[in-house]
């Protein structure tokens, strides 16, 4: 912005003329240095019409403006889906956002994604004409999931059969169940089985172990230790066995 105060000037034979500068304008609105600036001049006074006045020129610079933007990181629990970051640019409209997986290389038009547990750094570049280029980073963080805990109970129709509810399914994770049978007074399992279903018949193991009080424990086991923890262990109520036929 150029501001010039009125200037009094004297012409021929004492003509008294006032020169007033108008609004200065650049040759264009783009960023640059050594740019031509034109300042229009108007003259006033009784004999101003007897003179020709040229516009004044000088040089100036236009510096890049600053963008307004926000990088939205992603943090979540493993769900088997791919997730990425998002970038929103408020000013200017039409800015170009590019992404990369290596610092200094921005060759992607959409965010890289991550599915498995861990953290990924996303490199971001935002460009627009006449604005300072922005380079920044975002992060994708996937936390390990934990399988939900089954509910354990003895079958009311098939004596000696352990039953349990299913652990909540997670995309990409296969769930199996570790089932352990315990006889009262012992911390050592009478029988330990790993199954894919939701029940197991311990009748034979109980017959071999003899009369007593039995409980079983069930734990949901993840097929991927990287992405999901096993569930907490659920314990059944007591089963009183005199004999199982």
């Amino acid at each position: 912005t150029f501001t010039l105060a009125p200037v009094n000037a004297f012409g021929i034979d004492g003509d008294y003329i006032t020169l007033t500068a108008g609004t200065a304008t650049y040759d264009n609105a783009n960023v640059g240095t050594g740019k031509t600036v034109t300042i229009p001049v108007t003259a006033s006074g009784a004999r101003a019409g007897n003179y020709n006045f040229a516009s004044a020129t000088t040089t100036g610079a236009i510096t890049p403006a600053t963008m307004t933007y926000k990088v939205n990181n992603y943090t979540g629990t493993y769900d088997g889906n791919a997730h990425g970051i998002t970038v929103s640019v408020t000013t200017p409209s039409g800015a170009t956002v590019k992404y990369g997986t290596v610092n200094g290389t921005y060759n992607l038009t959409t965010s890289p994604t991550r599915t498995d547990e861990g953290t990924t750094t996303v490199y971001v570049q935002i460009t627009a004409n006449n604005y300072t280029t922005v380079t920044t980073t975002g992060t994708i963080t996937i936390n390990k999931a934990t399988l939900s805990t089954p509910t354990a109970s003895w079958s009311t129709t098939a004596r000696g059969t352990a039953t349990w509810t299913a652990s909540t399914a997670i995309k990409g994770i296969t769930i199996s169940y570790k089932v352990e049978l315990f006889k009262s007074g012992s911390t050592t399992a009478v029988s330990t089985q790993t199954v894919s279903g939701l029940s197991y018949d311990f009748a034979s193991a109980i017959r071999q172990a003899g009369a007593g009080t039995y409980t079983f424990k069930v734990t949901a086991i993840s097929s991927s230790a990287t992405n999901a923890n096993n569930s907490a262990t659920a314990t059944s109520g007591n089963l009183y066995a005199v004999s199982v036929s």
Side-chain angles (χ1 to χ4, degrees), residues 32-111:
T33 58
K35 300 176 67 68
T36 299
V37 181
T38 301
I39 308 168
V41 177
T42 58
S44 59
R47 298 184 180 180
N50 296 326
Y51 297 87
N52 292 320
F53 297 93
S55 297
T57 59
T58 186
T59 58
I62 297 178
T63 57
T66 300
M67 295 191 202
T68 303
Y69 67 94
K70 182 180 180 182
V71 176
N72 302 292
N73 300 320
Y74 178 83
T75 300
T77 300
Y78 175 82
D79 60 4
N81 297 313
H83 299 278
I85 67 168
T86 60
V87 178
S88 56
V89 182
T90 304
T91 305
S93 60
T96 298
V97 181
K98 289 192 174 182
Y99 307 84
T101 56
V102 178
N103 190 16
T105 301
Y106 310 99
N107 55 357
L108 302 173
T109 57
T110 58
S111 171

Side-chain angles (χ1 to χ4, degrees), residues 144-150 167-170 173-177 219-224 227-232:
K144 186 180 290 190
T146 298
L147 301 184
S148 62
T149 304
S167 182
T168 303
I170 300 175
I173 299 293
T174 299
I175 301 173
S176 57
Y177 298 90
T219 305
I221 306 296
S222 168
S223 63
S224 172
N227 292 321
N229 296 311
N230 298 336
S231 75

Side-chain angles (χ1 to χ4, degrees), residues 34 62 70 86 114-115 120 128 157 169 175 204 207 209 220:
I62 297 178
K70 182 180 180 182
T86 60
R114 185 178 186 92
T115 300
T120 294
T157 58
I175 301 173
S204 177
R207 278 196 298 270

